[in-house]
Amino acid sequence: MDTGDRLLTPGEVAALFRVDPKTVTRWAAAGRIGSIRTPGGHRRFRESEVRALLDGDGVVEEMREDDAANRPRNSGPSNPGPTYGPPNGLR
C-alpha cells in the first residue's frame, strides 16, 4: 500500500508542531496521530497526515491543551515518611 507519501521522523514532526519529539511519540502512542513502525522499531509519520493536522480543524490545539491538562504536577510525595530527604541522617 505505497501511496508515495514521504515519511517524517518524530523530530521533523515536532519541528512542524513546535513541540518536543517525545510529545509527538506520546501522541502516536495515544492514537492521536497515525504512525508507522520501521523494521527497527522507530516511528515514522505520513507527511500528508501531518500536513492535514496542521491545516485542519483545530485538532492540534486540542492535543496541546490535553497534554498540558494531563501533565503530572510535581508536588512531591503526599506522605514523605522517615525515608524522605537526604540519606544517612544529613538533615
Side-chain angles (χ1 to χ4, degrees):
M1 181 180 145
D2 183 20
T3 60
D5 207 1
R6 181 169 171 247
L7 297 177
L8 304 176
T9 66
E12 292 170 323
V13 175
L16 293 170
F17 282 101
R18 297 182 185 171
V19 297
D20 191 88
K22 288 287 187 184
T23 300
V24 175
T25 301
R26 282 193 303 271
W27 289 347
R32 295 177 177 173
I33 185 171
S35 68
I36 298 168
R37 292 284 189 146
T38 68
H42 300 278
R43 290 187 191 271
R44 295 294 181 264
F45 303 88
R46 285 188 176 90
E47 184 176 26
S48 60
E49 183 178 346
V50 171
R51 296 284 177 194
L53 287 171
L54 283 170
D55 299 337
D57 54 16
V59 176
V60 175
E61 290 305 317
E62 290 174 18
M63 288 190 289
R64 286 185 180 161
E65 290 172 14
D66 285 350
D67 279 356
N70 294 325
R71 188 175 302 129
R73 306 291 189 259
N74 187 7
S75 59
S78 59
N79 182 9
T83 60
Y84 183 73
N88 302 324
L90 299 175
R91 296 179 194 240

